[in-house]
Coordinates of all heavy atoms in Angstrom, one line a residue:
E1 N 132.7 102.8 93.8 CA 133.3 101.8 94.7 C 134.7 102.3 95.0 O 135.5 102.7 94.2 CB 133.1 100.4 94.2 CG 133.7 99.5 95.3 CD 133.7 98.1 94.8 OE1 133.2 97.8 93.7 OE2 134.1 97.1 95.8
K2 N 134.9 102.3 96.4 CA 136.2 102.6 96.9 C 136.7 101.5 97.8 O 136.1 101.2 98.8 CB 136.2 103.9 97.6 CG 137.6 104.4 98.3 CD 137.6 105.6 99.0 CE 138.9 106.0 99.6 NZ 139.8 106.2 98.7
P3 N 137.8 100.8 97.4 CA 138.4 99.8 98.2 C 138.7 100.3 99.7 O 139.1 101.4 99.9 CB 139.6 99.3 97.4 CG 139.4 99.8 96.0 CD 138.6 101.0 96.2
I4 N 138.6 99.4 100.6 CA 139.0 99.8 102.1 C 140.3 98.9 102.3 O 140.4 97.7 102.2 CB 137.9 99.4 103.0 CG1 136.7 100.3 102.7 CG2 138.4 99.7 104.4 CD1 135.5 99.8 103.7
A5 N 141.4 99.7 102.5 CA 142.7 99.0 102.7 C 142.9 98.5 104.0 O 143.7 99.0 104.8 CB 143.8 100.1 102.3
I6 N 142.2 97.4 104.4 CA 142.5 96.6 105.6 C 142.4 95.2 105.3 O 142.3 94.7 104.0 CB 141.4 97.0 106.7 CG1 140.0 96.4 106.1 CG2 141.1 98.4 107.0 CD1 139.0 96.4 107.2
D7 N 142.7 94.3 106.3 CA 142.9 92.9 106.0 C 141.5 92.4 105.5 O 140.5 92.6 106.1 CB 143.1 92.2 107.5 CG 143.3 90.7 107.3 OD1 142.9 90.2 106.2 OD2 143.9 90.0 108.1
P8 N 141.6 91.9 104.3 CA 140.3 91.4 103.6 C 139.5 90.6 104.5 O 138.2 90.6 104.3 CB 140.8 90.7 102.4 CG 142.2 91.3 102.1 CD 142.7 91.6 103.3
E9 N 140.0 89.8 105.4 CA 139.3 88.9 106.2 C 138.3 89.7 107.2 O 137.2 89.2 107.5 CB 140.1 88.0 107.0 CG 140.8 87.0 106.2 CD 141.6 85.9 107.0 OE1 141.6 86.0 108.3 OE2 142.2 84.9 106.5
D10 N 138.8 90.9 107.6 CA 137.8 91.6 108.4 C 136.6 92.3 107.7 O 135.7 92.7 108.4 CB 138.7 92.8 108.9 CG 139.6 92.4 110.0 OD1 139.4 91.5 110.7 OD2 140.7 93.0 110.1
L11 N 136.7 92.2 106.4 CA 135.5 92.7 105.6 C 134.6 91.6 105.2 O 133.5 91.7 104.5 CB 135.9 93.4 104.4 CG 136.7 94.7 104.6 CD1 137.1 95.4 103.3 CD2 135.7 95.7 105.4
E12 N 135.0 90.2 105.6 CA 134.0 89.2 105.3 C 133.2 88.9 106.6 O 133.6 89.3 107.7 CB 134.9 87.9 104.9 CG 135.8 88.1 103.6 CD 136.7 87.1 103.3 OE1 136.8 86.2 104.3 OE2 137.4 87.1 102.3
K13 N 132.2 88.0 106.5 CA 131.4 87.7 107.5 C 130.7 88.9 108.3 O 130.4 88.9 109.4 CB 132.1 86.9 108.4 CG 132.7 85.6 108.0 CD 133.5 84.8 109.1 CE 134.0 83.5 108.4 NZ 134.6 82.7 109.5
V14 N 130.5 90.0 107.5 CA 129.8 91.2 108.0 C 128.3 91.0 107.9 O 127.9 91.0 106.8 CB 130.4 92.5 107.4 CG1 129.8 93.6 108.0 CG2 131.9 92.6 107.6
L15 N 127.6 91.4 109.0 CA 126.1 91.3 108.9 C 125.6 92.7 108.7 O 124.4 92.8 108.2 CB 125.6 90.6 110.1 CG 125.6 89.1 110.1 CD1 126.9 88.5 110.6 CD2 124.5 88.6 111.1
G16 N 126.2 93.7 109.3 CA 125.7 95.1 109.2 C 126.6 96.0 109.9 O 127.7 95.7 110.3
A17 N 126.2 97.3 109.9 CA 127.3 98.3 110.3 C 126.6 99.6 110.7 O 125.4 99.9 110.2 CB 128.2 98.7 109.2
Y18 N 127.1 100.3 111.6 CA 126.7 101.6 112.2 C 127.9 102.6 112.1 O 128.9 102.2 112.4 CB 126.0 101.6 113.5 CG 124.7 100.8 113.5 CD1 124.7 99.3 113.5 CD2 123.5 101.5 113.3 CE1 123.5 98.8 113.5 CE2 122.3 100.8 113.3 CZ 122.3 99.4 113.4 OH 121.1 98.7 113.3
A19 N 127.6 103.9 111.9 CA 128.6 104.8 111.9 C 128.4 105.8 113.0 O 127.4 106.3 113.4 CB 128.6 105.6 110.5
L20 N 129.6 106.2 113.6 CA 129.6 107.3 114.7 C 131.0 107.6 115.0 O 132.0 106.8 114.7 CB 128.8 106.8 115.9 CG 129.6 105.8 116.8 CD1 128.9 105.8 118.3 CD2 129.5 104.4 116.4
D21 N 131.3 108.8 115.5 CA 132.6 109.3 115.7 C 132.9 108.9 117.2 O 132.5 109.6 118.2 CB 132.7 110.8 115.6 CG 134.0 111.4 116.0 OD1 134.9 110.6 116.2 OD2 134.2 112.6 115.9
I22 N 133.6 107.8 117.3 CA 133.9 107.3 118.8 C 135.0 108.1 119.4 O 134.8 108.4 120.6 CB 134.3 105.8 118.6 CG1 133.1 104.9 118.1 CG2 134.8 105.2 119.9 CD1 133.5 103.4 117.8
D23 N 136.1 108.3 118.7 CA 137.3 109.0 119.3 C 137.2 110.5 119.3 O 138.2 111.1 119.8 CB 138.5 108.5 118.8 CG 138.6 108.6 117.3 OD1 137.7 109.2 116.7 OD2 139.6 108.4 116.7
G24 N 136.1 111.0 118.8 CA 136.0 112.6 118.9 C 136.9 113.3 118.0 O 137.2 114.6 118.3
D25 N 137.4 112.7 116.9 CA 138.4 113.5 116.0 C 137.7 114.2 114.8 O 138.3 114.7 114.0 CB 139.5 112.4 115.6 CG 138.9 111.4 114.6 OD1 137.7 111.3 114.5 OD2 139.8 110.5 114.1
G26 N 136.4 114.0 114.8 CA 135.6 114.7 113.8 C 135.3 114.0 112.6 O 134.7 114.3 111.7
M27 N 135.8 112.6 112.6 CA 135.6 111.8 111.4 C 134.9 110.5 111.9 O 135.3 110.0 113.0 CB 137.0 111.4 110.8 CG 137.6 112.5 110.1 SD 139.2 112.1 109.4 CE 140.2 112.2 110.9
R28 N 133.9 110.2 111.2 CA 133.0 109.0 111.7 C 133.7 107.6 111.5 O 134.2 107.5 110.5 CB 131.6 109.1 111.0 CG 130.8 110.3 111.3 CD 129.4 110.3 110.7 NE 128.5 111.4 111.1 CZ 128.5 112.6 110.5 NH1 129.3 112.8 109.5 NH2 127.7 113.5 110.9
D29 N 133.6 106.9 112.4 CA 134.1 105.5 112.4 C 133.1 104.6 112.2 O 131.8 105.0 112.1 CB 134.7 105.2 113.9 CG 135.7 106.3 114.3 OD1 136.6 106.5 113.6 OD2 135.4 106.9 115.5
L30 N 133.4 103.3 111.8 CA 132.4 102.2 111.5 C 132.6 101.1 112.4 O 133.7 100.6 112.7 CB 132.6 101.7 110.0 CG 132.1 102.7 108.9 CD1 132.7 102.2 107.5 CD2 130.6 102.5 108.8
V31 N 131.3 100.8 113.0 CA 131.3 99.5 113.8 C 130.7 98.3 112.9 O 129.6 98.5 112.4 CB 130.4 99.7 115.1 CG1 130.3 98.4 115.9 CG2 131.0 100.9 116.0
L32 N 131.5 97.3 112.6 CA 130.9 96.2 112.0 C 130.6 95.0 112.8 O 131.3 94.5 113.7 CB 132.2 95.7 111.0 CG 132.9 96.8 110.1 CD1 133.8 96.0 109.2 CD2 132.0 97.7 109.5
M33 N 129.4 94.6 112.6 CA 128.8 93.4 113.3 C 129.1 92.1 112.5 O 128.8 92.1 111.3 CB 127.3 93.5 113.6 CG 126.9 94.8 114.3 SD 125.2 95.1 114.4 CE 124.9 95.3 112.6
R34 N 129.8 91.2 112.9 CA 130.2 90.1 112.2 C 129.9 88.7 112.9 O 129.5 88.7 114.1 CB 131.8 90.1 112.1 CG 132.2 91.5 111.4 CD 133.8 91.6 111.3 NE 134.2 90.5 110.3 CZ 135.0 89.5 110.6 NH1 135.4 89.3 111.9 NH2 135.6 88.7 109.8
V35 N 129.8 87.6 112.2 CA 130.0 86.3 112.7 C 131.4 86.0 113.0 O 132.2 85.7 112.2 CB 129.5 85.3 111.5 CG1 129.5 83.9 112.1 CG2 128.1 85.6 111.0
G36 N 131.7 86.1 114.3 CA 133.0 86.2 114.8 C 133.5 87.5 115.5 O 132.5 88.1 116.0
E37 N 134.6 87.9 115.3 CA 135.1 89.1 115.9 C 134.6 90.3 115.3 O 134.6 90.6 114.0 CB 136.7 89.2 115.7 CG 137.3 90.4 116.4 CD 138.6 90.6 115.9 OE1 139.1 90.3 114.9 OE2 139.5 91.3 116.9
N38 N 133.9 91.2 116.1 CA 133.3 92.5 115.7 C 134.5 93.3 115.5 O 135.6 93.2 116.2 CB 132.4 92.9 116.7 CG 131.1 92.2 116.8 OD1 130.6 91.6 115.8 ND2 130.6 91.9 118.0
V39 N 134.5 94.3 114.6 CA 135.5 95.2 114.2 C 135.0 96.7 114.2 O 134.0 97.0 113.8 CB 136.0 94.9 112.8 CG1 136.9 95.9 112.2 CG2 136.6 93.4 112.7
I40 N 136.0 97.5 114.8 CA 135.9 98.9 114.8 C 136.8 99.5 113.7 O 138.0 99.2 113.9 CB 136.0 99.6 116.1 CG1 134.9 99.1 117.0 CG2 135.9 101.1 116.1 CD1 135.1 99.7 118.5
L41 N 136.3 100.2 112.7 CA 137.2 100.9 111.8 C 137.2 102.2 112.1 O 136.2 103.0 112.0 CB 136.6 100.6 110.4 CG 136.6 99.2 109.8 CD1 136.0 99.2 108.3 CD2 137.9 98.5 109.9
K42 N 138.4 102.8 112.3 CA 138.6 104.2 112.6 C 138.6 105.0 111.3 O 139.4 104.6 110.4 CB 139.9 104.4 113.4 CG 140.3 105.8 113.6 CD 141.6 105.9 114.5 CE 142.3 107.3 114.5 NZ 141.2 108.3 115.1

């Protein structure tokens, strides 16, 4: 397990996730589907 250093509230209420490189920097980002605000993790 590796902790993700973001606001803990953004990791709650998550229903699912998909990964893709949105900004083209060669590193895959995460799109989080949530009850409430959806979050993109770079």
Side-chain angles (χ1 to χ4, degrees):
E1 184 176 359
K2 179 178 176 59
I4 300 178
I6 63 171
D7 187 335
E9 291 187 0
D10 289 329
L11 293 176
E12 298 172 354
K13 302 182 179 181
V14 178
L15 281 79
Y18 291 84
L20 71 161
D21 181 4
I22 293 175
D23 56 357
D25 64 355
M27 291 178 282
R28 291 180 175 91
D29 311 304
L30 278 167
V31 177
L32 311 187
M33 304 172 297
R34 301 177 69 246
V35 179
E37 182 190 28
N38 296 317
V39 170
I40 296 177
L41 297 181
K42 176 178 168 59

